[in-house]
């Protein structure tokens, strides 16, 4: 089964509405002849409807950086999947390490958010990854297994049919340190094996597994050459369309 690569940009808490619109428009123009690669950017929720209008009918699709799993109600500061969908998102990041680290997102929340995303017809991009301490203590595979197992617990095959997993070693995010091709190869192969064991061979083969953590125009080609790498989740280097387009055109 061939998987369409996905290159996704996580803009985190950067750019005003006007800045986001300008950068997204520039990116859409640079992408007009890109074929065979899905492109997504995740601006802040505030910019989402503005950017959606700016990139309408272009190759650039939108994602949100988080959602809450309830549909509506007294949940101050939160936004539901339906609201994000209505604002123009097709994807949503779930369980990004910064959410886990600074806002207390747990695997149980990842699980509920993933189901809520699918219910709102959003493609869930479930982020997992070990810390430096986990790796030093040789717990990488244990941690990843637990994050996948608990984060997807109770979800049915049908619910997970659009699933995207993003392997982002916490020690590589925003640090300029990238995992080596060998490390990425080993982890991605392991993740596909877990998906096969816990769900099905078909699901394992269909799921896109992205790598994230200091991806840039210079290292993307090597990372994308790894058999089980189906795309990249890019933070810092996605903020500048001139740089991001070189990641999108990784060949
Ligand atoms: P980075 O961030 O590319 O700046 O390391 C990646 C991410 O947080 O998704």
């Amino acid at each position: 089964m061939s998987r369409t690569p996905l290159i996704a940009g996580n803009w985190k808490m950067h750019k005003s509405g006007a800045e986001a619109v300008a950068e997204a428009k520039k990116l859409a123009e640079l992408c007009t002849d890109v074929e065979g690669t899905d492109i997504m950017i995740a601006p802040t929720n505030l910019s989402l409807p503005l950017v959606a209008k700016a990139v309408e009918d272009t190759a650039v699709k939108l994602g949100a950086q988080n959602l809450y799993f309830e549909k509506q109600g007294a949940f101050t500061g939160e936004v539901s999947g339906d609201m994000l969908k209505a604002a123009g998102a097709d994807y949503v990041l779930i369980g990004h390490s910064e959410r886990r680290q600074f806002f207390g997102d747990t695997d149980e929340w990842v699980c509920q958010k993933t189901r809520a995303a699918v219910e709102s017809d959003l493609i869930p991009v479930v982020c997992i990854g070990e810390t430096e301490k986990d790796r030093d203590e040789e717990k990488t595979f244990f941690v990843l297994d637990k994050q996948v197992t608990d984060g997807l617990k109770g979800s049915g095959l049908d619910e997970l049919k659009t699933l995207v997993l993003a392997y982002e070693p916490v020690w590589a995010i925003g640090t300029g340190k990238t995992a080596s091709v060998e490390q990425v190869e080993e982890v991605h192969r392991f993740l596909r094996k877990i998906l096969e064991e816990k769900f099905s061979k078909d699901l394992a083969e269909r799921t896109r597994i992205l790598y994230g953590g200091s991806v840039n125009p210079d290292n993307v080609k090597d990372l994308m050459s790894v058999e089980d790498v189906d795309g990249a989740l890019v933070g810092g280097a996605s903020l500048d369309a001139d740089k991001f387009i070189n990641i999108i055109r990784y060949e």
Side-chain angles (χ1 to χ4, degrees), residues 112-153:
Q112 297 196 63
K113 288 179 176 193
T114 302
R115 301 184 84 169
V118 173
E119 252 178 54
S120 297
D121 197 23
L122 292 164
I123 298 172
V125 180
V126 174
C127 306
I128 55 172
E130 81 286 1
T131 63
E132 188 149 41
K133 185 163 175 282
D134 295 331
R135 190 161 272 275
D136 288 348
E137 292 173 359
E138 297 185 1
K139 288 188 188 146
T140 299
F141 294 98
F142 171 80
V143 167
L144 294 171
D145 190 336
K146 184 166 175 359
Q147 287 175 340
V148 173
T149 306
D150 292 352
L152 304 179
K153 195 163 31 195

Side-chain angles (χ1 to χ4, degrees), residues 10 55 73 103 114 139 182 190 197 201 212 220-221 229 237:
N10 173 9
V55 300
F103 304 101
T114 302
K139 288 188 188 146
E182 291 72 30
F190 172 77
E197 282 169 11
K201 194 169 171 54
V220 64
K221 192 170 173 198
V229 172

Side-chain angles (χ1 to χ4, degrees), residues 38-141:
D38 290 344
I39 302 160
M40 180 269 264
I41 48 173
T44 68
N45 287 345
L46 275 183
S47 299
L48 205 48
L50 303 171
V51 175
K53 207 156 167 231
V55 300
E56 205 176 355
D57 298 327
T58 73
V60 178
K61 302 296 166 214
L62 296 184
Q65 300 173 17
N66 180 37
L67 81 165
Y68 191 56
F69 47 79
E70 296 289 354
K71 292 250 175 239
Q72 59 181 21
F75 304 105
T76 302
E78 294 297 318
V79 174
S80 74
D82 287 354
M83 292 168 188
L84 295 170
K85 185 79 193 180
D90 285 321
Y91 296 79
V92 60
L93 307 182
I94 297 174
H96 187 278
S97 74
E98 286 148 19
R99 297 285 329 161
R100 295 178 189 256
Q101 201 179 331
F102 304 129
F103 304 101
D105 281 22
T106 59
D107 289 331
E108 289 66 39
W109 275 40
V110 168
C111 183
Q112 297 196 63
K113 288 179 176 193
T114 302
R115 301 184 84 169
V118 173
E119 252 178 54
S120 297
D121 197 23
L122 292 164
I123 298 172
V125 180
V126 174
C127 306
I128 55 172
E130 81 286 1
T131 63
E132 188 149 41
K133 185 163 175 282
D134 295 331
R135 190 161 272 275
D136 288 348
E137 292 173 359
E138 297 185 1
K139 288 188 188 146
T140 299
F141 294 98

